[in-house]
Amino acid sequence: MTGRGTNWVDEALREHEEHTAAEQVAAEEAAAEEAAARDPGAVDAAAGDAGAASRTAGRAGTPSDREQQVLDRIDRARRRRPRIREERITMSHGAGGKASRTLTEAVFLDAFRNPLLEPLEDAALLQVAGSRLALTTDTYVVSPLFFPGGNIGDLAVNGTVNDLAVAGATPLYLSAGFVLEEGFPVADLTAIVASMQAAAAVAGVQVVTGDTKVVERGKADGCYINTAGVGVVEHDLALGVATARPGDVVIVSGPVGDHGVTIMLARGELDIEADLSSDTAAMNGMIGGLLAAVPGVRAMRDATRGVVSTILNGVAVAAGVGVVVEEDQIPVRAQVRGAAELLGIDPMYVACEGKLVAIVDGKQADRALAALRAHPLGEQAAVIGHVTADQPGIVLLKTAFGGTRIVDLLVGDPLPRIC
């Protein structure tokens, strides 16, 4: 991470000029699509400018005219209708960052578009016979299947419970679908299922339906699990990242990056040892306490793939606001920070499985922190930033060195198969 450089604006503008002609052609081709689709897209066309700005961005506050040109170009690119440029799916499409968002919006959202899907929240909110329900689904392909602190079974239960909880629902029922590879040990499957049952009991949910498929040896990685969940919404809050407004605060419920680094070390590919376990846990109890105590909760997200960076970029774009984060305020365990520094990975891009990011009315920040810290999972909750009217669509990080940089969406796939 670096502070403010002396010529970052010149570098960014030089790249801007080099891309101007190509951008004009692309803009003409996409003009009709942009008029019909206002959803934000990826920043692929602005990758050069975003990279230069991220390396050495200017100080927080009002930018100069030349800085504003760079930021405006990033914003225009983000709002362009997403297009899949690759001919084949890559691992980056499952990493939770730019490629994932582009795939979701250009293929799935384009095909299935409807008002319930368009918010792209962690769960869909449904009206059924006068009741408000939440529905979610997720598929788990973590490698290795067993890791310090858990396994693919409790991960699948907790992840789906958390997706319902951050939508403001009380989780009730789950489904469980298994894809098993020929030759997979029955003892391992029994252990996975037992951990699922234990996790469901802790979360207060039941697995009520499911399916099993077996594929030929070599056609899967032992065991994949899909879980879907249903919950009931018993309050009138309109939660969603698009509701964020200037003056709100950004809260994380505890140290980030535990799960991603634990999985990386469990693979045994690196000569690094650390006393670290996955943070996989069901957060519905903690979230219930937060919602009961704080009517000013705007939005919550489960910090899994792409984690803090992806969530905050989603807030900035969906709500048309800026987000400023204080690096010194982000809780990170020493073991996670050390491993991340060795690998050149920012903890803001490393996955969690038992942490949330909440956007809360700034006037109720203390009440929110107290509610989270009252639960064992939220004892280290912290305010890490705030929402601002400046630089809409942009997330800025005030670094520990006194500089400021843009926090963009995850581009590559530093830690594949984490969940």
Side-chain angles (χ1 to χ4, degrees), residues 2-241:
T2 60
R4 179 179 177 86
T6 58
N7 62 349
W8 81 271
V9 174
D10 292 333
E11 293 177 3
L13 288 176
R14 185 163 50 250
E15 294 186 16
H16 168 76
E17 292 170 358
E18 292 173 354
H19 287 281
T20 296
E23 184 187 38
Q24 290 175 342
V25 173
E28 291 173 1
E29 293 176 348
E33 295 174 333
E34 289 176 354
R38 299 295 182 182
D39 296 306
V43 199
D44 295 339
D49 289 341
S54 295
R55 286 191 297 272
T56 50
R59 61 185 175 275
T62 303
S64 69
D65 290 342
R66 293 195 297 173
E67 289 170 341
Q68 190 63 51
Q69 290 181 42
V70 176
L71 297 174
D72 287 346
R73 185 169 188 275
I74 292 173
D75 184 62
R76 289 198 305 273
R78 276 184 167 160
R79 296 184 183 282
R80 186 173 300 136
R81 184 170 182 172
R83 294 181 177 180
I84 295 288
R85 299 173 183 271
E86 301 84 359
E87 294 183 357
R88 297 182 183 276
I89 297 298
T90 69
M91 291 301 293
S92 292
H93 287 112
K98 287 184 182 179
S100 294
R101 173 173 288 188
T102 301
L103 178 68
T104 298
E105 296 185 358
V107 177
F108 302 121
L109 181 59
D110 193 52
F112 302 134
R113 186 178 301 277
N114 63 73
L116 298 175
L117 178 63
E118 284 176 345
L120 294 179
E121 294 285 351
D122 286 333
L125 296 179
L126 314 174
Q127 291 282 350
V128 180
S131 298
R132 296 179 69 203
L133 301 179
L135 173 67
T136 191
T137 187
D138 210 339
T139 302
Y140 296 84
V141 295
V142 65
S143 176
L145 298 177
F146 296 85
F147 46 83
N151 62 58
I152 191 173
D154 53 56
L155 190 70
V157 169
N158 292 335
T160 299
V161 165
N162 291 341
D163 282 346
L164 292 171
V166 296
T170 300
L172 297 175
Y173 304 109
L174 305 183
S175 70
F178 296 83
V179 177
L180 305 174
E181 182 181 1
E182 178 187 14
F184 187 65
V186 172
D188 286 352
L189 178 60
T190 301
I192 288 169
V193 172
S195 70
M196 292 181 72
Q197 175 55 30
V202 170
V205 298
Q206 291 180 292
V207 177
V208 295
T209 189
D211 183 50
T212 303
K213 294 293 187 295
V214 177
V215 297
E216 296 89 343
R217 191 182 301 269
K219 299 294 185 181
D221 191 13
C223 174
Y224 301 149
I225 301 176
N226 172 272
T227 47
V230 176
V232 61
V233 181
E234 300 175 306
H235 57 76
D236 296 325
L237 294 176
L239 301 176
V241 293

Side-chain angles (χ1 to χ4, degrees), residues 155 159 162 259 278-281 302-304 351-355 418-419:
L155 190 70
N162 291 341
H259 178 74
S278 170
D279 58 350
T280 176
D302 183 14
T304 52
C352 311
E353 286 293 343
K355 302 295 188 303
I418 57 173
C419 64

